[in-house]
Amino acid sequence: MRKGPENINLRKRIGEDISLTEQKRKLTLKGETRVFDVYRIPLEHLVYNRRNGRIISWMNRVESEGEDVSTLDKNEYNDKVEEMIIESNKGALEKTKANIKNFGQRVPGVVLNDGTIVDGNRRFTCLRHLRRDHGMDVFFEAIILDPKEGLSDIDIKRLELNLQHGEERPVDYNPIDNLVDVYNDIVVNEYFTEQEYALNTNKKPSEVKKMVEKAKLMVEYLEFINADGKFYLARELELDGPLQEMVGILKNEKDEEERIRVTDTLFTALTISKNKDLTRYIRRIGNDILKASNRDAFLEEFDEIVYDVADAFQGKEKVDLETMRQLNSEMKDLRDEAASLIDRRADETAISRAKMRPIDAFNTSLKTLDTIDMDHIGRLDQKNREEFIRLMGRMRGVLDSFEERLS
């Protein structure tokens, strides 16, 4: 495990280099809302939270590149995480930093007694910058919570969710990092049910259910490309949109074997796509092929491509972004074949639908006519009767034109 923050006990340092401020902050813990004191804490006593969702996905990128995070001391670890915080949203960071520089830290953070930051990663990062780059004498202002006072891991995680999602302020989570958090909290650690997670994040249960489906699909995809648990790949590839489309497509697949076949097809198309707009690409496959009459023919033709792509990725000892680029280069002919097959089958559907438009329009018209009540026709007054007769004449003229075209 990574070295801890020197086994520090923040509470014992109150009155030494940690001082009480005049600020207070309300928090809800274990179902009870309380007012907590806020303290000024030296930055060197603090450490980024390893369990934070956005940090988890960054961690496995660093580790996949061969660096053992567990060997880093606190300062090295904080420096590495700081790079990720900057990379994740530089614009938001600069805005927050300017605000703190001009007005001070307005919103207190939350830290554990061992120095782990539960809430305030960006503010902490900004303060580090202001001290290092501007020579400012700054402290992190935060509530100090001690888990030994009856707070379980679930209590702390629930608090983190409340602070990140439940309060009325924007959440800057990358959508994939958010999915990682959902997957770990609900599926892996089973901290919460979907209903409980919805309650703690101020979301609708249906929204959380869809997030869990997307998260599970993300995990399936990473397994498909032999990159189990490398969530950073999903973030780097910006897979949130494509995953959203896939969830919608797959909900219509009731047969499990067919669902697996369709899933593997979509995963393959996604992996070797030449199209930069992956969301629209997956949507096109779903709407113009998998919902069309040529679906079975397409899946049968695509099966061999699926096998070749899966075999290529599973044959690699490790898969990272460079591996994906390399394999896509090596499989150029296969990529061209897949793109051509998808285009051809989607175009077939477009042509078929164009041919069906007159019949679809006719059917719609007939359904509209079926809604006319015969009794109402018999009760029309003279003026409306004449208008009805005129419209029937126009309709006969249109039908005569159709008939002439068909002869």
Side-chain angles (χ1 to χ4, degrees):
M1 293 292 291
R2 179 187 57 77
K3 297 175 184 178
E6 304 164 0
N7 295 318
I8 197 165
N9 185 323
L10 297 182
R11 291 276 181 86
K12 287 186 176 180
R13 302 186 74 91
I14 296 173
E16 297 177 11
D17 56 358
I18 295 177
S19 59
L20 179 67
T21 73
E22 295 180 355
Q23 292 190 74
K24 305 285 184 181
R25 185 177 180 183
K26 285 184 179 180
L27 289 183
T28 302
L29 284 170
K30 302 174 77 68
E32 180 185 354
T33 300
R34 296 161 50 196
V35 177
F36 291 85
D37 291 326
V38 174
Y39 298 88
R40 298 175 77 242
I41 307 169
L43 305 188
E44 57 269 21
H45 293 337
L46 303 172
V47 65
Y48 290 106
N49 185 3
R50 176 68 174 85
R51 295 184 181 183
N52 183 281
R54 70 186 89 185
I55 292 174
I56 290 173
S57 60
W58 171 83
M59 280 293 181
N60 54 44
R61 184 185 75 180
V62 173
E63 290 168 347
S64 74
E65 293 170 350
E67 185 164 7
D68 186 355
V69 179
S70 66
T71 64
L72 301 177
D73 64 26
K74 184 184 69 174
N75 292 327
E76 292 171 328
Y77 169 80
N78 276 347
D79 288 344
K80 286 287 184 182
V81 176
E82 181 183 297
E83 293 174 11
M84 183 278 303
I85 298 286
I86 296 170
E87 181 184 320
S88 67
N89 197 330
K90 190 171 183 179
L93 185 78
E94 289 299 323
K95 185 177 179 180
T96 302
K97 184 166 70 174
N99 191 276
I100 293 176
K101 183 180 180 182
N102 292 328
F103 305 107
Q105 182 189 339
R106 290 181 167 177
V107 181
V110 178
V111 303
L112 301 183
N113 197 37
D114 66 358
T116 301
I117 298 172
V118 175
D119 178 60
N121 285 315
R122 183 190 292 166
R123 279 158 281 166
F124 177 56
T125 302
C126 291
L127 290 167
R128 283 167 58 89
H129 279 206
L130 291 172
R131 182 176 66 176
R132 183 176 62 241
D133 301 338
H134 299 275
M136 294 179 64
D137 185 20
V138 291
F139 295 80
F140 188 60
E141 297 180 350
I143 293 165
I144 300 173
L145 299 178
D146 191 348
K148 292 180 180 179
E149 296 177 354
L151 294 178
S152 66
D153 287 346
I154 295 178
D155 293 326
I156 295 168
K157 187 61 190 181
R158 183 179 290 114
L159 172 64
E160 183 182 335
L161 290 178
N162 291 160
L163 294 173
Q164 291 293 338
H165 302 274
E167 294 191 349
E168 295 181 0
R169 58 189 178 91
V171 178
D172 65 332
Y173 261 35
N174 177 286
I176 292 297
D177 290 338
N178 206 7
L179 291 184
V180 174
D181 231 11
V182 166
Y183 185 73
N184 283 323
D185 291 345
I186 297 178
V187 180
V188 177
N189 296 319
E190 297 182 343
Y191 286 156
F192 313 104
T193 64
E194 291 177 9
Q195 291 281 349
E196 289 169 340
Y197 194 93
L199 182 65
N200 281 286
T201 56
N202 201 26
K203 297 182 187 297
K204 296 178 181 178
S206 59
E207 185 180 355
V208 174
K209 179 178 175 60
K210 182 170 285 188
M211 290 173 68
V212 171
E213 290 172 352
K214 284 169 62 177
K216 288 180 177 179
L217 199 58
M218 172 182 66
V219 171
E220 281 187 60
Y221 175 70
L222 293 175
E223 291 172 351
F224 178 81
I225 62 171
N226 194 25
D228 303 30
K230 294 182 179 179
F231 300 116
Y232 79 93
L233 284 177
R235 189 186 66 231
E236 297 285 345
L237 296 171
E238 298 180 344
L239 294 187
D240 182 65
L243 289 171
Q244 181 85 9
E245 293 296 327
M246 288 185 200
V247 167
I249 293 168
L250 294 172
K251 72 178 181 181
N252 298 315
E253 301 297 333
K254 306 306 179 185
D255 180 82
E256 183 58 23
E257 287 188 13
E258 192 69 1
R259 181 198 178 279
I260 293 172
R261 189 184 190 193
V262 170
T263 301
D264 287 350
T265 295
L266 293 173
F267 285 168
T268 300
L270 179 65
T271 303
I272 60 174
S273 171
K274 299 169 67 175
N275 195 312
K276 291 184 179 180
D277 190 342
L278 295 176
T279 301
R280 184 172 295 181
Y281 189 62
I282 295 299
R283 185 184 305 142
R284 186 186 186 206
I285 296 172
N287 290 337
D288 295 346
I289 301 178
L290 297 176
K291 290 182 181 179
S293 59
N294 58 9
R295 164 198 170 106
D296 291 336
F298 165 75
L299 289 173
E300 187 172 338
E301 287 179 292
F302 213 78
D303 272 346
E304 190 170 340
I305 297 175
V306 172
Y307 176 82
D308 288 343
V309 170
D311 189 54
F313 276 86
Q314 293 299 324
K316 292 292 183 180
E317 184 175 346
K318 73 169 188 175
V319 172
D320 53 23
L321 285 172
E322 182 56 36
T323 308
M324 296 189 75
R325 282 192 285 266
Q326 177 189 342
L327 285 174
N328 268 292
S329 177
E330 293 173 359
M331 295 187 293
K332 181 182 182 303
D333 291 343
L334 201 62
R335 293 177 70 205
D336 291 341
E337 181 184 350
S340 176
L341 175 55
I342 290 169
D343 285 342
R344 177 164 58 84
R345 289 301 185 183
D347 288 345
E348 283 176 1
T349 300
I351 293 170
S352 175
R353 286 174 178 168
K355 290 178 178 178
M356 286 295 294
R357 281 195 191 111
I359 295 174
D360 291 339
F362 215 153
N363 275 322
T364 300
S365 299
L366 287 173
K367 288 176 181 177
T368 302
L369 289 173
D370 285 340
T371 65
I372 298 175
D373 191 323
M374 292 295 184
D375 291 338
H376 288 172
I377 295 174
R379 292 195 292 269
L380 291 173
D381 58 28
Q382 184 61 33
K383 182 179 179 180
N384 287 326
R385 183 185 296 268
E386 290 173 359
E387 177 63 12
F388 195 81
I389 292 171
R390 186 185 71 79
L391 291 173
M392 284 196 300
R394 283 191 59 189
M395 187 175 292
R396 287 193 187 97
V398 172
L399 293 174
D400 287 343
S401 298
F402 289 164
E403 203 161 359
E404 286 175 13
R405 180 66 62 146
L406 290 170
S407 61

